[in-house]
Amino acid sequence: MKTSSKFKIEQETPEDIKDVTLTKTNLKGDWINFFLLLLLYTMQGLPLGIAGSMSILLQSKKNVTYKDQALYSITKWPFAMKLLWAPLVDALYVKKIGRRKSWLIPVQYLIGLILIYTASDIDNLLPETGKPDIVKLMYIFLIINILAATQDIAVDGWALTMLKRNNVGYASTCNASGQTIGSMIGSMVLILFTSEEFCNKYLRHTPAAGGIISVQNLLYCWGIIFILITTLVGILKKEKNISFEDGQEKINVAHNYLLLWDILKLPNVRILALIFITSKIGYAVTDNVSTLKLIDAGVSKEDLSMIDTVMSGVNVIISFVIGKYTSGPKPMSLYLKIIPARLLLNIPFAMLIYYTPTMISFNGYGKSSIYYYPLLVFLLSIEHILMHTMFVATLAFFSRISDYRIGSTYMTLLNTFANLAYMWSSTAALGMIDVLTLRECSLDSTNYCFTQIRENHIVLKLVELPILKIKRREVNNRSTEK
């Protein structure tokens, strides 16, 4: 699928595919652009990591419910809704600054300033005692993610012109690796280095109160770093002047939305949308609820964060290793092969969460069965590897079929399909937890209430089992067609 020289959307021919996708890749002369894209995507991942780790910090507080978590999960929605303003990012810009930098620079400055503001008010937003201000936190990180989504639109479009056409497949490597690195840094540092338990156990000789850095100081640092890097990019990096084939250098907003509508009318795009929007149903609970349930069961957030940090490092390596496979003409072949494995992974995850309370003893030291953590790491490793491989393959596919002249709009449209799948399934899964959770309270003076965490997770997994059969049949049908 691509845009013709007259801006009419037409089906892509086999010759078009051959010209673009089968050209041999070579990063010679593109390495600086490659690492710049990696940096920009890392900056995009940083606020996402901070926003994501807030969910874990909230879950560690006993007065935060899954209803609160469902409300906070709204912060993830901007990446699913960014299609609404992507044509604006493509059409409106200041020529002297650059088509992509016109949006990139102010958006990243705003992210830095909001992080600094959040740092100044973090004691009220996330108090040591008392209930966090969920609503205000939701609004703050919703705005941050709207800005991060806008930055993503600009960088996705810039990647299609910054790299040579035969190297655009590497944009997915930069995207996946950069977002992973940024998210890892944002979440790892926020959870681990502000944790008194982790710092006393691993980083200090003499125990002390608090982490080695406070949440407030950390947010101040990230805000300042954002502003400094944005300034350097604005000064040092120049954009290529890409002109359209019909002689127009700039199209108006209305025309851009009409182009978007033309793309949406393509039969293949509509089929692709249906496939991707429903693609996360089968493993929504495993992706979004398992970590929170493990924390409920007694696994410390520090241990989970350490495991996640290691897995993030593995993901970065995976991005580069599988780059040579996903930069080829058929990146989605790898994606389709992984679907059955990811669906089957629901079963061991459900069993792990079911038996976690009996494998961890609550004796004040958090001792557990010698088999528990190796099993947990093993399952999380498989999940991360499969999930990240699918992510890289998807991005490579989108980069291949997008028209660079309206790159922001085209890439955003395709990414929206994948993002919508994650966002709506995440909110739905979290929202269902409280409905399916059974609580028992003691009748003595303590009035202690506890959650039967096993049953509700198993119920959700049973809901997913029919999806397994449907997805396996879909993959088999696709394989037969090929």
Side-chain angles (χ1 to χ4, degrees):
M1 295 159 287
K2 73 173 188 177
T3 309
S4 69
S5 60
K6 295 184 179 180
F7 292 100
K8 292 181 180 179
I9 307 301
E10 57 186 21
Q11 292 290 90
E12 194 175 54
T13 64
E15 290 76 16
D16 296 326
I17 298 173
K18 184 176 180 180
D19 289 343
V20 177
T21 62
L22 299 184
T23 306
K24 188 175 181 180
T25 59
N26 184 2
L27 281 173
K28 185 177 181 180
D30 249 352
W31 281 109
I32 293 178
N33 293 328
F34 178 88
F35 285 114
L36 176 59
L37 282 175
L38 190 64
L39 174 63
L40 292 175
Y41 280 118
T42 299
M43 293 181 69
Q44 180 189 130
L46 185 62
L48 297 181
I50 296 172
S53 62
M54 281 292 171
S55 178
I56 296 177
L57 292 177
L58 291 173
Q59 190 64 22
S60 64
K61 296 182 178 296
K62 301 302 181 184
N63 50 7
V64 174
T65 66
Y66 280 99
K67 185 177 180 180
D68 294 328
Q69 289 283 8
L71 176 64
Y72 182 77
S73 72
I74 295 174
T75 60
K76 302 174 184 178
W77 276 83
F79 273 79
M81 308 301 294
K82 61 183 180 178
L83 181 63
L84 297 177
W85 64 91
L88 295 175
V89 178
D90 250 339
L92 302 178
Y93 59 93
V94 179
K95 187 176 179 181
K96 289 184 178 179
I97 298 176
R99 189 178 183 188
R100 308 307 177 189
K101 286 169 62 178
S102 295
W103 289 89
L104 184 73
I105 302 302
V107 159
Q108 291 189 167
Y109 274 136
L110 284 173
I111 292 175
L113 292 173
I114 293 175
L115 288 175
I116 292 174
Y117 163 76
T118 306
S120 67
D121 197 35
I122 195 64
D123 290 335
N124 296 322
L125 297 171
L126 199 67
E128 289 294 329
T129 59
K131 187 169 183 176
D133 192 339
I134 303 292
V135 175
K136 194 170 182 180
L137 279 171
M138 184 270 292
Y139 280 124
I140 288 174
F141 283 100
L142 179 65
I143 294 172
I144 288 177
N145 282 348
I146 289 174
L147 295 172
T150 306
Q151 191 254 25
D152 183 51
I153 296 170
V155 176
D156 282 348
W158 200 1
L160 298 179
T161 57
M162 188 185 297
L163 295 173
K164 298 174 183 176
R165 286 297 291 160
N166 61 310
N167 289 329
V168 292
Y170 284 105
S172 65
T173 302
C174 296
N175 191 329
S177 300
Q179 279 195 18
T180 301
I181 294 170
S183 296
M184 176 181 68
I185 295 172
S187 60
M188 175 193 70
V189 176
L190 183 60
I191 293 176
L192 297 183
F193 290 2
T194 62
S195 168
E196 178 180 329
E197 178 184 345
F198 176 82
C199 293
N200 286 339
K201 187 175 181 180
Y202 296 104
L203 303 180
R204 290 181 177 135
H205 295 294
T206 304
I212 61 174
I213 187 172
S214 66
V215 175
Q216 183 180 58
N217 290 336
L218 189 59
L219 292 177
Y220 274 130
C221 289
W222 290 140
I224 293 170
I225 289 172
F226 244 88
I227 292 172
L228 290 176
I229 293 179
T230 301
T231 302
L232 291 175
V233 172
I235 295 173
L236 299 178
K237 179 61 180 176
K238 305 298 181 183
E239 275 194 66
K240 297 177 184 177
N241 183 19
I242 303 297
S243 299
F244 294 104
E245 293 177 10
D246 62 357
Q248 297 184 24
E249 292 187 358
K250 193 172 182 178
I251 57 176
N252 59 48
V253 176
H255 200 175
N256 234 7
Y257 278 101
L258 289 175
L259 287 172
L260 177 61
W261 180 245
D262 286 340
I263 297 171
L264 284 169
K265 289 192 296 184
L266 291 173
N268 286 344
V269 170
R270 284 181 286 181
I271 294 172
L272 189 68
L274 179 62
I275 291 172
F276 272 102
I277 289 174
T278 58
S279 64
K280 303 291 185 183
I281 296 175
Y283 26 85
V285 177
T286 299
D287 288 351
N288 300 287
V289 181
S290 293
T291 299
L292 303 181
K293 280 297 180 183
L294 288 171
I295 293 174
D296 278 352
V299 181
S300 73
K301 67 180 186 298
E302 290 82 10
D303 289 340
L304 287 173
S305 182
M306 288 179 65
I307 295 172
D308 190 61
T309 299
V310 174
M311 292 302 102
S312 297
V314 172
N315 287 343
V316 174
I317 297 173
I318 291 172
S319 299
F320 288 98
V321 171
I322 68 172
K324 61 180 180 180
Y325 301 105
T326 58
S327 60
K330 295 182 178 180
M332 290 303 289
S333 297
L334 186 60
Y335 180 100
L336 292 172
K337 292 176 182 177
I338 292 175
I339 290 177
R342 284 212 65 195
L343 291 168
L344 288 171
L345 195 61
N346 288 330
I347 298 173
F349 258 104
M351 295 179 65
L352 176 70
I353 292 174
Y354 184 88
Y355 287 108
T356 290
T358 60
M359 298 179 74
I360 294 182
S361 59
F362 299 93
N363 58 5
Y365 296 95
K367 291 183 179 179
S368 60
S369 167
I370 59 173
Y371 304 107
Y372 181 76
Y373 277 99
L375 179 60
L376 176 62
V377 171
F378 176 72
L379 288 178
L380 288 175
S381 299
I382 295 176
E383 182 198 24
H384 275 260
I385 291 171
L386 295 180
M387 181 168 57
H388 198 71
T389 302
M390 294 174 75
F391 177 57
V392 175
T394 301
L395 292 176
F397 175 65
F398 291 165
S399 296
R400 283 298 181 187
I401 65 176
S402 295
D403 190 317
Y404 70 93
R405 293 165 298 177
I406 51 169
S408 293
T409 301
Y410 220 129
M411 281 289 290
T412 300
L413 170 65
L414 299 174
N415 278 314
T416 296
F417 300 152
N419 290 332
L420 271 174
Y422 175 74
M423 303 310 171
W424 80 262
S425 61
S426 170
T427 301
L430 289 167
M432 290 174 65
I433 290 296
D434 273 340
V435 177
L436 297 175
T437 297
L438 302 177
R439 293 182 175 85
E440 293 183 2
C441 295
S442 63
L443 299 178
D444 56 21
S445 59
T446 62
N447 194 30
Y448 175 72
C449 295
F450 65 93
T451 300
Q452 294 180 339
I453 70 166
R454 303 180 181 185
E455 287 78 359
N456 65 76
H457 198 82
I458 294 297
V459 168
L460 284 176
K461 290 301 178 186
L462 290 175
V463 171
E464 291 178 350
L465 288 179
I467 304 297
L468 171 60
K469 296 181 180 179
I470 295 172
K471 287 294 182 180
R472 290 179 68 180
R473 190 181 304 118
E474 178 183 326
V475 173
N476 290 334
N477 291 339
R478 283 181 163 273
S479 300
T480 303
E481 291 174 2
K482 290 185 177 182

